[in-house]
Amino acid sequence: MKNDNFKFLILVFALIASGCNTKKQKANDSNSPITENNYLGQKPPGSTAEVFAPGVVNTKENREVEGMSGADMNTFYFIKRPVGEESKHNVLVSFEYKNKEWNESVVFKGESEPSISPDGKTIYFSKNYIERTSEGWSELKSLAPPFNDIEIMRLSASSSSTYYFDTFTPDLDAPIRYSRFIDDKYEQPKSLGHQFEIGKYNAHPFIAPDESYIIWDSIREDGFGESDLYISFREVNGSWGPAINMGDRINTNNKENYPSVSSDGRYLFFDRRAAENSDNVDIYWVDAKIIETLRTKL
């Protein structure tokens, strides 16, 4: 009888342990809510770039690109579509932290090249945008002149509502430009300077909210292979400093593009894709201290 009782107790403890392990597996499953309230519960990266949220944001089934954080740090946005599908199937999705859980939802379909305003109230798609309302996000709207006739790929807005943007041309030779909001309208775009015209494919800018630096991707002779991330800092006189390659902790012989710094300034997000396969792409992140490190080297 004592042996039977002992066996019974062992069986009970085994079942309890099995149940605990099952709960842990479910909590870590990519289809289950993530219950940490910072960066989807991910371990922060160091000075070398790492894939962001593998199995949660970056998956094998979908092509995920163009990640960015919301203004309140309770939302992470990115574009995804099933591997092998065309760009018309792009979906902007978000992971939002609410009621102590991160949950995924669809924000907008059919657009790409997103960037979010510093206040989190506007999301730009090239020369279109949506606005946050009391009932959710608005319908798609178009920017007014002079932007409606420009082939913008990505537009980034500062806290002062100045727009920084690239332009697609067949030769990929257009500089990054900016336009300020003056007298209730946007001025004609101007080039940021010669350092934003070197090489080709000067594209996908991210402007710091205070306009103290700008990060973009470009293909240049001093690069590591394909497109690399570059940074320029604003000088005391208001002009822009030299274009600085962000180094081998970020750039590789693959394509690095679509930079975005989290709204708390702590991490830099960007895409890395294999040159031979546009579907082979992941969203990476790295400690944004690299920005201040590069600034002090000037």
Side-chain angles (χ1 to χ4, degrees):
M1 181 64 71
K2 288 183 179 179
N3 287 338
D4 289 341
N5 289 338
F6 181 70
K7 291 179 180 179
F8 177 74
L9 289 173
I10 291 176
L11 178 61
V12 170
F13 283 123
L15 289 172
I16 291 173
S18 176
C20 291
N21 289 335
T22 301
K23 285 184 179 181
K24 185 175 182 180
Q25 290 168 359
K26 286 183 178 179
N28 290 334
D29 187 86
S30 61
N31 294 320
S32 299
I34 303 163
T35 56
E36 296 293 331
N37 61 356
N38 288 314
Y39 301 101
L40 281 76
Q42 303 300 302
K43 180 182 177 181
S47 58
T48 300
E50 302 175 7
V51 175
F52 177 66
V56 181
V57 170
N58 290 289
T59 66
K60 295 180 179 180
E61 298 78 18
N62 295 295
R63 177 183 185 272
E64 297 92 359
V65 294
E66 302 161 27
M68 58 188 186
S69 66
D72 58 4
M73 293 305 302
N74 287 331
T75 315
F76 186 81
Y77 302 90
F78 59 99
I79 295 286
K80 77 173 184 179
R81 71 170 185 257
V83 170
E85 295 290 342
E86 298 178 356
S87 59
K88 65 182 180 181
H89 297 292
N90 284 340
V91 179
L92 177 66
V93 300
S94 69
F95 274 101
E96 183 178 10
Y97 188 74
K98 193 174 182 179
N99 298 325
K100 297 184 179 181
E101 291 182 339
W102 286 93
N103 290 287
E104 183 179 359
S105 63
V106 172
V107 177
F108 204 85
K109 295 181 179 181
E111 296 291 327
S112 61
E113 315 272 2
S115 70
I116 192 166
S117 61
D119 62 9
K121 295 180 180 179
T122 306
I123 295 178
Y124 300 95
F125 302 103
S126 303
K127 52 188 176 182
N128 300 315
Y129 66 99
I130 56 177
E131 295 178 302
R132 187 182 290 278
T133 71
S134 59
E135 298 177 355
W137 291 98
S138 70
E139 73 282 1
L140 192 66
K141 302 178 181 181
S142 296
L143 293 174
F147 309 106
N148 52 347
D149 293 327
I150 301 174
E151 291 298 320
I152 296 172
M153 292 183 287
R154 190 195 199 191
L155 179 150
S156 181
S158 71
S159 294
S160 66
S161 298
T162 298
Y163 290 162
Y164 293 76
F165 59 94
D166 54 17
T167 307
F168 175 80
T169 67
D171 294 329
L172 303 176
D173 58 355
I176 293 176
R177 293 183 286 174
Y178 73 100
S179 176
R180 297 169 297 174
F181 191 67
I182 301 175
D183 296 330
D184 295 326
K185 63 179 181 180
Y186 278 93
E187 64 181 349
Q188 286 296 318
K190 302 175 183 178
S191 173
L192 288 186
H194 176 67
Q195 62 271 47
F196 298 90
E197 302 171 357
I198 297 172
K200 62 179 181 178
Y201 205 62
N202 289 290
H204 313 128
F206 169 83
I207 186 66
D210 63 358
E211 299 175 76
S212 60
Y213 64 83
I214 186 170
I215 305 174
W216 74 104
D217 49 89
S218 182
I219 301 174
R220 304 189 179 207
E221 290 184 359
D222 66 346
F224 288 82
E226 294 290 332
S227 59
D228 287 350
L229 296 190
Y230 287 80
I231 188 169
S232 174
F233 296 96
R234 188 181 287 277
E235 307 282 4
V236 175
N237 63 4
S239 64
W240 288 95
I244 304 170
N245 188 294
M246 297 194 74
D248 60 4
R249 297 290 183 95
I250 293 175
N251 294 316
T252 66
N253 61 352
N254 290 314
K255 297 180 180 180
E256 281 78 30
N257 47 28
Y258 291 101
S260 178
V261 176
S262 58
S263 55
D264 62 4
R266 295 178 63 186
Y267 301 104
L268 168 65
F269 291 87
F270 64 93
D271 293 354
R272 178 180 292 165
R273 68 192 70 207
E276 70 279 1
N277 185 354
S278 62
D279 276 336
N280 185 5
V281 55
D282 286 309
I283 299 171
Y284 278 71
W285 64 330
V286 67
D287 195 316
K289 290 177 182 177
I290 182 64
I291 295 172
E292 294 308 313
T293 299
L294 292 171
R295 193 198 302 267
T296 58
K297 290 183 178 180
L298 290 175

